[in-house]
Amino acid sequence: MSYIKKIQDCYPELTKSERKMADYILTNRSEVSNKTMNDITAEISVGDATVIRFCKKIGYSGFSDLKIEIAKEDFSKRYEYQSEEMYYDKIFQDSITVLNETYQLIDSNDLKQTIQYIAQAENISIFGVGSSGQIGVSFEKMLLRVGLRGKAYNDAHFQSQVASIMSTSDVVVAMSLSGRTKDIIDSVRLAKQNGAKIIVLSNTTISPLSKLADVLLQTPVNEFINGESIEGKIAQLSICETIVRGYELEHKADVLEIREKITRSIMDKQVE
């Protein structure tokens, strides 16, 4: 039985406060999986105990259990293909959609500020774990192509150590679609305390990580149950490419020479 049917069946037995929770989920179910219990209790003015009682009344062990059920149902509907032979139409259409949505979210002023920060930085440190950590490594290589020496750190302990010795001349680029990865938040908070500028790539403006940002570059992808999605990678990489190209436009003469040097350095590695 779907969570919606469970809520509807139990609705007459819910208290006034529990009905506020039910109404919120039925109205905002596409957003629930990207929010914490604290987010929701603050929005609808109910206590944690109300949320827990509500979840148990409709058959779930707690809020996390309900969030997973909501995300599962949304994921299943999203990937219902009209024809199994043409399933790849959906994959490519989703990729096109996420590029358009990422484009719509770009703020030119935030982008200019980001380029200014990385151009002036003595050290550029890129923090990410999991899939975001892999994108961070790609970003490091993209920066090198235009003469910027960034360093990607995927290990949480190493991130913390690097953050502890940062100063006002440093920049952190923190990547986390959810914005709720504890290790990243801890390291970024430490870097910020030491005066480093913080650039965040995340899909939400209300997460703990986003609130630490000097500049937030927003992506449209929520990976709560769809981890390692191609859409998430496309969104992050397109923003990384936009940053690099923006820097290149502002430093065109210098960058062209650097690109030539790097290209020549790897030509001998290729087989004729």
Side-chain angles (χ1 to χ4, degrees), residues 126-190:
I126 307 161
F127 291 174
V129 296
S131 178
S132 292
Q134 296 168 12
I135 299 300
V137 173
S138 295
F139 188 41
E140 175 188 333
K141 296 174 182 176
M142 294 163 71
L143 290 172
L144 184 61
R145 285 279 185 169
V146 293
L148 292 172
R149 298 182 183 180
K151 177 62 180 175
Y153 300 95
N154 300 338
D155 180 88
H157 289 187
F158 209 176
Q159 289 170 5
S160 182
Q161 292 174 59
V162 170
S164 71
I165 58 171
M166 285 185 174
S167 69
T168 55
S169 61
D170 295 321
V171 166
V172 173
V173 179
M175 299 185 178
S176 171
L177 291 179
S178 70
R180 300 186 184 280
T181 305
K182 186 179 185 302
D183 289 333
I184 299 292
I185 293 167
D186 290 344
S187 295
V188 167
R189 184 177 288 115
L190 181 56

Side-chain angles (χ1 to χ4, degrees), residues 256-272:
L256 189 59
E257 183 181 350
I258 291 168
R259 280 190 178 274
E260 180 183 352
K261 287 180 179 179
I262 291 174
T263 300
R264 290 184 181 280
S265 74
I266 60 176
M267 284 181 67
D268 291 341
K269 308 294 184 184
Q270 299 176 350
V271 177
E272 295 291 344

Side-chain angles (χ1 to χ4, degrees), residues 60-96:
Y60 299 101
S61 62
F63 183 60
S64 295
D65 195 25
L66 174 58
K67 279 177 61 174
I68 290 172
E69 195 63 29
I70 293 172
K72 281 169 56 181
E73 190 164 316
D74 179 65
F75 182 82
S76 297
K77 288 179 179 178
R78 183 180 175 191
Y79 289 95
E80 286 177 353
Y81 305 113
Q82 292 182 342
S83 168
E84 289 188 7
E85 290 78 15
M86 300 293 287
Y87 72 92
Y88 50 84
D89 281 2
K90 175 67 172 170
I91 295 172
F92 282 94
Q93 189 55 54
D94 284 348
S95 297
I96 293 168

